[in-house]
Amino acid sequence: MANDSVEVAVIGGGAAGIGAARRLRDAGVKAFILEARDRLGGRAWTVEVRGFAIDLGCGWLHSAKRNPWTTIAAAQGRTIDRTPPPWARATSQPGLSATEADAMRAALWALHERADALPEDEPDRLLADLLEPGGRWNALIDAISGYYSGAALARVSARDLGRYADDGVNWRVGEGYGAAIAAHGAGLDVAFDSAVTRIDHGGRRIRVETIRGIVEADAAIVTLPSALIAADEALFAPALPDKTRAAAGLPLGCDDKLFLSLAGAEAFAPETRAFGDPRRVATASYQLRPFGRPMIECYFGGALAADLERGGEAALFAFARSELVGLYGGDFARRVAPIATHGWGGDPFARGAYSYALPGRADDRAALAAPVDGRLFFAGEACSREDFSTAHGAYLTGVAAAEQAIAALKR
Ligand SMILES: Cc1cc2nc3c(=O)[nH]c(=O)nc-3n(C[C@H](O)[C@H](O)[C@H](O)COP(=O)(O)OP(=O)(O)OC[C@H]3O[C@@H](n4cnc5c(N)ncnc54)[C@H](O)[C@@H]3O)c2cc1C
């Protein structure tokens, strides 16, 4: 790289950066992805363990029917698994009857409807304020907020969640969502292990400084996670305080997965879900036999994930094992062993799982996405008004930023 020159520097090679760079290449624009890691995909990451493709980051093709990754993965010849997700049906579990599970889902649905109905001309609310006062399922709904926002209801903007668009269809990629996303970047020009330290947009051309050299470009597309933009006021020179502020309104919540092997898996129905303790906020969700595999996918969210992640795999496993023993009895401890995990909160190139908006900050998504001087463009899941927190939202913002850059280069 030493001192390279391109038309567009794409900063970050996750779903957004790949989407942007592919669109630029298709338009005949010379683009270069600058990526801090030694791989493409970012928060989309499939690892092969014991012959299974395991998604440590995104796993579900949310809004699958209109999700561009569905088409891309199918075109790559991958298997689109259309089994409905466990959360789409009310299943009983120890400590929660089917009737109770139904009642909890109705209470969760009602909360989302109240968020959806919040008029745009009224002040934003905390999601927690929209809970039914004293509601029987409030603790579990708060735990679930940890799974889908990565944060407690008391931290999340109701307006932002109300804007989220979901077609209610959720599919998976048998060979891994992360693998499909990374493969879409095959053949693109990428500099790996090239963390960007500064984006100097004060001169005639944009100078992108990395730990391995400098790239000069006519335009740049910044796809860094919002947590990283918020944390470094000196990332842009001259500084862009509006960007730093907007990114700070869109923190990344904490969510981590831990995959366990499960001996005697046949005793459990495939694709079922159990909450560790349906009466607690600090509880994990367990998907038994995903894809029918002899495994459990444990999902930790919010403060619980942040706390346990600090203790590494051992702490995540100890917590999961104790909740599973509480559900299925003492013998269960011998049936499970950890096989894969990743701590996204401590990952220096993510610093969290996916973005949520703080109360009053839903419009920060548009502020973060807004171009600067017609040559600095922004993409990434946090920039999406209605598909934030997802891999398809990231992709769509990447393509949109590429379109903006293409139009700007023609001027
Ligand atoms: C546990 C978990 C579960 C999830 N589940 C789902 C799901 O089921 N469905 C779904 O749609 N989404 C899910 N997501 C969210 C989804 O993975 C993300 O929203 C999406 O991948 C974000 O893409 P992005 O391009 O915006 O950001 P990223 O993927 O984070 O891409 C940004 C890139 O920038 C790179 N980078 C960072 N710093 C620098 C630097 N200084 N210089 C250069 N490069 C840098 C990073 O390495 C990364 O490659 C999940 C995420 C996690 C963590």
Side-chain angles (χ1 to χ4, degrees):
M1 171 198 301
N3 210 333
D4 238 313
S5 178
V6 294
E7 288 179 276
V8 182
V10 177
I11 300 167
I18 292 168
R22 281 280 299 231
R23 179 68 194 94
L24 292 166
R25 190 185 67 179
D26 292 350
V29 173
K30 189 174 178 228
F32 196 22
I33 296 181
L34 301 169
E35 170 54 54
R37 303 178 196 267
D38 60 2
R39 61 172 179 84
L40 285 177
R43 285 172 274 165
W45 188 21
T46 306
V47 293
E48 266 319 293
V49 182
R50 301 182 186 191
F52 296 116
I54 291 185
D55 276 310
L56 293 170
C58 55
W60 290 96
L61 292 156
H62 294 312
S63 294
K65 285 193 174 163
R66 64 174 176 84
N67 184 327
W69 291 116
T70 306
T71 318
I72 294 167
Q76 291 171 352
R78 294 175 200 271
T79 318
I80 306 299
D81 184 293
R82 291 176 169 77
T83 311
W87 69 81
R89 39 201 157 89
T91 43
S92 61
Q93 65 162 88
L96 192 73
S97 69
T99 315
E100 289 174 317
D102 254 340
M104 187 283 287
R105 278 161 44 86
L108 178 63
W109 189 248
L111 175 75
H112 282 221
E113 286 194 325
R114 287 192 282 274
D116 292 353
L118 192 69
E120 283 283 338
D121 57 358
E122 277 186 18
D124 195 3
R125 309 276 301 272
L126 298 181
L127 256 183
D129 290 348
L130 303 187
L131 279 171
E132 185 195 328
R136 180 174 175 200
W137 302 106
N138 287 358
L140 187 53
I141 291 173
D142 216 359
I144 292 170
S145 174
Y147 312 143
Y148 61 65
S149 295
L153 295 165
R155 285 187 61 79
V156 180
S157 154
R159 160 137 317 122
D160 195 52
L161 192 78
R163 287 177 180 170
Y164 182 79
D166 183 357
D167 76 3
V169 181
N170 300 278
W171 294 335
R172 284 169 299 182
V173 184
E175 299 81 6
Y177 198 172
I181 291 173
H184 196 56
L188 295 172
D189 284 333
V190 188
F192 289 107
D193 302 310
S194 300
V196 168
T197 51
R198 214 161 106 103
I199 303 162
D200 180 346
H201 61 109
R204 195 178 61 77
R205 300 194 82 210
I206 293 174
R207 274 168 59 90
V208 184
E209 296 172 20
T210 82
I211 57 168
R212 293 181 54 218
I214 292 169
V215 174
E216 289 201 343
D218 301 315
I221 298 178
V222 181
T223 77
L224 300 178
S226 50
L228 298 180
I229 296 177
D232 183 5
E233 281 178 18
L235 176 65
F236 300 103
L240 294 174
D242 289 352
K243 291 293 174 195
T244 314
R245 185 184 178 280
L250 306 167
L252 298 197
C254 198
D255 288 275
D256 291 318
K257 296 177 184 177
L258 168 70
F259 289 83
L260 306 177
S261 57
L262 174 62
E266 319 72 51
F268 294 91
E271 311 282 12
T272 47
R273 177 181 70 172
F275 299 104
D277 182 343
R279 275 143 198 97
R280 292 190 60 190
V281 179
T283 192
S285 159
Y286 301 92
Q287 192 184 342
L288 296 141
R289 300 187 61 197
F291 295 97
R293 296 168 181 169
M295 276 182 202
I296 301 177
E297 179 183 317
C298 317
Y299 209 92
F300 305 86
L304 175 68
D307 283 351
L308 291 175
E309 198 191 300
R310 280 189 277 276
E313 182 183 275
L316 291 161
F317 178 51
F319 184 90
R321 188 177 48 194
S322 110
E323 284 207 315
L324 289 164
V325 162
L327 289 170
Y328 302 113
D331 280 357
F332 206 82
R334 277 185 279 117
R335 295 170 68 169
V336 288
I339 52 176
T341 190
H342 182 67
W344 291 101
D347 182 326
F349 304 123
R351 293 268 175 241
Y354 27 86
S355 67
Y356 63 96
L358 294 172
R361 307 296 290 272
D363 290 336
D364 285 353
R365 298 199 184 276
L368 185 61
V372 173
D373 296 335
R375 60 180 188 156
L376 205 48
F377 303 96
F378 290 81
E381 56 86 9
C383 294
S384 174
R385 180 183 162 100
E386 359 187 270
D387 295 314
F388 53 84
S389 79
T390 69
H392 64 280
Y395 174 87
L396 291 169
T397 61
V399 173
E403 301 288 358
Q404 292 168 344
I406 292 163
L409 291 173
K410 280 192 192 140
R411 268 186 241 128

